[in-house]
Structure formats: C-alpha cells, structure tokens
C-alpha cells in the first residue's frame, strides 16, 4: 500500500514538473511592454502574446534575439478570439532564459510576401538574464 502511494506521489510531481507548474514563474509580456526592458533569471520562462489576425495574411515574425541567452521554445502559437471566420486572436511566442547576458527580441507584424513594404507593426523587448 505504501509503495503504491509513493509511486502515485512521484508520478504526480513528475506530471507537475512536465507541465512547468513547479518551475519558476512565467513572465508574461504583451503590447504594454513594447520598447521596455525586463530581467529574467536563468531557467525562467517568458511568454510574449500579441494581437494578430493571420486570416488577413499578417503574422508576427521573430527577427532577432541571441539564442545563447534566450531560446525560443516551439513555434508561435495562435488562438482565435472566436469561432467566427476572419476573427482576430492572439499570437504567442515562448522562450526560456538559458544563460547570463543581454539580448533584444525583435518581432515584426507583416505579410511575408510583401518584401518592399514596411511592417504594419513592430515589437521590441530588451532582455537581461541574471
């Protein structure tokens, strides 16, 4: 009986850590932090969520950051605001701080095929990892 309890507790802790619930606090950034700077600790997670509407052909694209300081985790994720066709939503980029240093995340909101057109929007966030 005790062995079963120990196994259940160990499995529960493993699942929590796999979900990131036992790790450090996730820093969430949005349009309000555009042009600002933040500090992270090594191992800390960063999530940047910006409004977008890919049905118009526009997407946020990651232009620049130092992957030795801050690593992107997965691809950009999109969640629509509603089920209505053509509705906008939120595009989210996830990162994890790897090592001490500084970098700047630069994102542009544009149509990838419009190479001679300035982006419709830009986003920049300075990062210092301690």
């Amino acid at each position: 009986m005790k062995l079963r309890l120990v196994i259940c507790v160990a499995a529960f802790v493993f699942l929590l850590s796999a979900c990131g619930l036992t790790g450090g606090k996730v820093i969430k950034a949005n349009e309000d932090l555009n042009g600002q700077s933040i500090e992270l600790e090594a191992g800390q997670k960063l999530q940047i969520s910006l409004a977008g509407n890919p049905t118009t052909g526009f997407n946020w694209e990651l232009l620049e950051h130092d992957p030795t300081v801050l690593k992107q985790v997965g691809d950009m994720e999109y969640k629509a605001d509603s089920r209505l066709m053509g509705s906008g939503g939120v595009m989210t980029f996830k990162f994890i701080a790897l090592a001490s240093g500084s970098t700047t995340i630069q994102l542009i909101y544009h149509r990838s095929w419009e190479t001679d057109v300035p982006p419709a929007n830009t986003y920049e966030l300075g990062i210092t990892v301690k």
Side-chain angles (χ1 to χ4, degrees):
M1 183 69 172
K2 287 184 181 183
L3 179 60
R4 186 180 294 183
L5 178 61
V6 170
I7 291 172
C8 287
V9 169
F12 180 72
V13 170
F14 175 77
L15 289 173
L16 286 178
S17 64
C19 295
L21 297 177
T22 60
K25 179 178 156 188
V26 175
I27 302 298
K28 295 184 178 182
N30 57 26
E31 288 92 349
D32 294 342
L33 287 180
N34 191 8
Q36 304 294 314
S37 295
I38 62 170
E39 288 186 0
L40 300 173
E41 293 184 23
Q44 196 165 24
K45 297 172 184 165
L46 170 66
Q47 179 177 305
I48 300 175
S49 299
L50 304 168
N53 190 343
T55 65
T56 62
F58 284 92
N59 277 302
W60 283 101
E61 179 183 348
L62 178 61
L63 278 190
E64 183 179 317
H65 78 291
D66 183 346
T68 64
V69 174
L70 193 71
K71 177 185 173 187
Q72 183 175 0
V73 178
D75 294 325
M76 183 269 301
E77 298 174 4
Y78 173 73
K79 183 175 179 185
D81 290 336
S82 79
R83 293 184 179 184
L84 297 175
M85 185 178 291
S87 68
V90 176
M91 297 177 174
T92 302
F93 293 84
K94 295 179 182 178
F95 301 89
I96 188 164
L98 295 179
S100 296
S102 297
T103 187
T104 300
I105 295 175
Q106 292 182 344
L107 300 163
I108 59 170
Y109 187 65
H110 71 128
R111 291 181 173 132
S112 61
W113 66 87
E114 293 181 336
T115 56
D116 294 334
V117 177
N121 202 351
T122 59
Y123 185 88
E124 190 170 294
L125 183 63
I127 306 290
T128 301
V129 177
K130 302 250 178 189

